Amino acid sequence: MSRHPHGNTALKAARQHAGYSSQQAFVDALNRAAPRIGLSEMEVSVRQVRRWESNTPPWPRTEHQRLLVHVLQLPVERLGFTPPWEVRESTIGRGASAAQVGHTVLGSPLPQASKPVQPATIGADYSMITAAHRRMYSTVQPDHLHPAVVEHTRLGLQLLAETSGVPRRVVSLALAESLLIAGRIEFFDLRQPDAADATFVHALQAAGEANDSLLGSAILAHAAFIPGWANHPAETANRLRAARTYARRGSASAEFVAWIYAVEAECHTRCGQPGEALAAIASAEAALASEDESRSPEWFTWFSGARLVAFKGNIQLLAGRWSQARDSLTEALTGLEAGESKQRAVVLADLAAVEVAAAKPMESCKRLHEALDQLAITWYATGMERVRKVREGLQPWADSDEVQSIDDRLYGWSATLNALRG
């Protein structure tokens, strides 16, 4: 949060320059503009504007940033706000969290090299580490991997100040992927959606520097999960629309197109729209069945036919189609590869939920034990969230030995500490 002894004079000046002499007039203009840019569910108050013009203005939410920029026609950095990732160097290394350190990596714009000092091989060298982190994501504990990825992004930013031409583009591309990995960990593994949202903004900036539309699409689709899981369908749709636009520019493969449909399906599910979710899954299946021979990039490792079936099974579960969900989830479990312990935990928890719906608590507990075995290998907040939800459904059988054995594992020392952290 930035500090202004006399209030945020930059925003106040921009507001007055745009012709809004009072905060109320500015609020009215913002609320009129919101539906025009796809933010019909948003309403700004005078109190919010007062906070933005205060001595300590908070960094605006992503939707608010879009609205401010649209109405005032100025970048948000010129409106007196300091991004939360621009932490003073004195803060870094003195108890700053991994997320706080991660958000110091990028400002605006990216640094340019006044005199390139790195060799032509630096891009390949930096990319090798990014690729290693990509492989580690499925097996290394997230609270161990995240700090390493964050430090790698800090190095990438420094290298951008020391490279130009092709090496700079290669570093930018690897930096964008590293930031995407960091954002994935923050959102899916550590349950830090605000941190992930900011990280995805930085990732998109680096992908733009590399002029890689396909990676930009991947970042935007990941960013769509954040409003999708928060039940903000308008902002979700806007981000997915942008993701599809970038995918088209990047000549996306059928597999990549199917994944975007799968993201859309999960977001519809989170927003309580199972019919729309099943339609999106059908579109994903059609895309995957097409004869498009385009190849996906090597960094596209988080989707497969088995994972699409897992998406489908979860949606069928939430739509109350228990028999179909059991069939889909069993198929997905068979199709997952040995190293996919995170996804396996999610599918097992969903299968446990199917058994709860069928009033089969013993079978449900068996699946939960299998899911917890996977989570013991690699912690995954999303998987544990599914397990806890199933345990709520088992409450009618809470006195049974089978359910109590689940409680013993859920509230063991290690699991309890992970739950408090995640």
Side-chain angles (χ1 to χ4, degrees), residues 10 16 18 49 67 74 95 102 105 109 112 135 180 200 219 233 265 268 272 278 304 335 338 352:
Q16 293 176 337
V49 172
L67 196 53
L74 286 171
V105 295
Q112 299 290 327
R135 292 189 295 271
L180 176 58
F200 289 144
I219 295 162
H268 277 311
L278 288 170
S304 64

Side-chain angles (χ1 to χ4, degrees), residues 244-401:
R244 288 194 169 97
T245 300
Y246 278 76
R248 185 175 65 252
R249 292 174 187 164
S251 301
S253 66
E255 185 182 37
F256 193 96
V257 171
W259 170 67
I260 295 180
Y261 277 119
V263 173
E264 179 184 3
E266 178 154 347
C267 291
H268 277 311
T269 301
R270 294 277 176 163
C271 293
Q273 302 167 326
E276 290 86 342
L278 288 170
I281 285 293
S283 296
E285 291 174 327
L288 210 55
S290 70
E291 298 181 358
D292 182 5
E293 297 181 358
S294 300
R295 298 185 62 182
S296 299
E298 62 179 353
W299 45 259
F300 184 68
T301 58
W302 55 77
F303 186 73
S304 64
R307 294 203 179 195
L308 175 58
V309 178
F311 272 106
K312 182 178 181 178
N314 177 253
I315 293 167
Q316 291 168 331
L317 167 64
L318 296 174
R321 302 183 180 187
W322 317 124
S323 179
Q324 293 177 2
R326 180 184 281 109
D327 291 344
S328 296
L329 292 166
T330 302
E331 180 185 346
L333 194 64
T334 303
L336 291 174
E337 297 181 5
E340 296 183 276
S341 59
K342 292 181 179 181
Q343 189 63 31
R344 190 173 297 276
V346 169
V347 173
L348 286 165
D350 282 350
L351 278 167
V354 171
E355 302 302 347
V356 171
K360 296 180 178 179
M362 291 182 63
E363 288 82 351
S364 179
C365 289
K366 178 183 176 182
R367 290 300 193 185
L368 286 185
H369 277 298
E370 294 178 54
L372 288 167
D373 288 342
Q374 296 298 316
L375 293 171
I377 297 171
T378 306
W379 174 255
Y380 191 39
T382 300
M384 182 55 79
E385 179 185 86
R386 301 275 179 98
V387 168
R388 291 192 190 114
K389 190 168 184 62
V390 176
R391 172 57 187 86
E392 292 174 10
L394 285 167
Q395 191 58 27
W397 302 277
D399 293 334
S400 68
D401 291 342

Side-chain angles (χ1 to χ4, degrees), residues 33-344:
R36 295 199 294 269
I37 59 172
L39 300 175
S40 55
E41 300 173 356
M42 175 173 293
E43 185 172 346
V44 180
S45 65
V46 172
R47 181 183 178 189
Q48 180 67 70
V49 172
R50 193 178 300 126
R51 290 181 66 214
W52 287 335
E53 293 189 1
S54 70
N55 292 341
T56 55
W59 180 244
R61 289 169 43 197
T62 303
E63 298 90 338
H64 285 148
Q65 291 180 41
R66 287 182 55 216
L67 196 53
L68 288 167
V69 170
H70 176 77
V71 171
L72 297 178
Q73 295 296 299
L74 286 171
V76 71
E77 292 83 3
R78 291 182 57 187
L79 298 177
F81 299 106
T82 300
W85 53 87
E86 291 186 358
V87 181
R88 288 185 177 88
E89 287 296 323
S90 60
T91 303
I92 301 170
R94 291 197 295 110
S97 69
Q100 287 173 321
V101 174
H103 293 160
T104 67
V105 295
L106 284 179
S108 179
L110 294 175
Q112 299 290 327
S114 57
K115 183 178 181 181
V117 297
Q118 293 296 337
T121 56
I122 193 64
D125 294 339
Y126 183 76
S127 299
M128 286 177 61
I129 301 172
T130 299
H133 288 159
R134 179 200 312 147
R135 292 189 295 271
M136 291 179 191
Y137 175 76
S138 61
T139 59
V140 176
Q141 295 293 345
D143 53 354
H144 296 163
L145 181 60
H146 185 250
V149 174
V150 163
E151 286 304 315
H152 186 56
T153 61
R154 289 170 59 83
L155 173 61
L157 181 66
Q158 181 59 43
L159 292 177
L160 288 183
E162 300 173 357
T163 55
S164 63
V166 172
R168 178 183 175 86
R169 183 183 182 280
V170 175
V171 169
S172 297
L173 188 62
L175 173 60
E177 185 190 349
S178 289
L179 286 160
L180 176 58
I181 294 170
R184 283 170 56 82
I185 295 172
E186 288 161 358
F187 184 71
F188 294 112
D189 299 84
L190 302 180
R191 274 294 179 267
Q192 299 171 355
D194 290 341
D197 208 17
T199 299
F200 289 144
V201 171
H202 306 331
L204 191 63
Q205 186 181 12
E209 180 70 21
N211 195 26
D212 193 297
S213 295
L214 205 56
L215 187 52
S217 175
I219 295 162
L220 285 161
H222 275 90
F225 277 121
I226 296 172
W229 286 31
N231 197 10
H232 296 307
E235 180 61 18
T236 303
N238 183 62
R239 293 184 180 192
L240 284 171
R241 192 177 304 115
R244 288 194 169 97
T245 300
Y246 278 76
R248 185 175 65 252
R249 292 174 187 164
S251 301
S253 66
E255 185 182 37
F256 193 96
V257 171
W259 170 67
I260 295 180
Y261 277 119
V263 173
E264 179 184 3
E266 178 154 347
C267 291
H268 277 311
T269 301
R270 294 277 176 163
C271 293
Q273 302 167 326
E276 290 86 342
L278 288 170
I281 285 293
S283 296
E285 291 174 327
L288 210 55
S290 70
E291 298 181 358
D292 182 5
E293 297 181 358
S294 300
R295 298 185 62 182
S296 299
E298 62 179 353
W299 45 259
F300 184 68
T301 58
W302 55 77
F303 186 73
S304 64
R307 294 203 179 195
L308 175 58
V309 178
F311 272 106
K312 182 178 181 178
N314 177 253
I315 293 167
Q316 291 168 331
L317 167 64
L318 296 174
R321 302 183 180 187
W322 317 124
S323 179
Q324 293 177 2
R326 180 184 281 109
D327 291 344
S328 296
L329 292 166
T330 302
E331 180 185 346
L333 194 64
T334 303
L336 291 174
E337 297 181 5
E340 296 183 276
S341 59
K342 292 181 179 181
Q343 189 63 31
R344 190 173 297 276

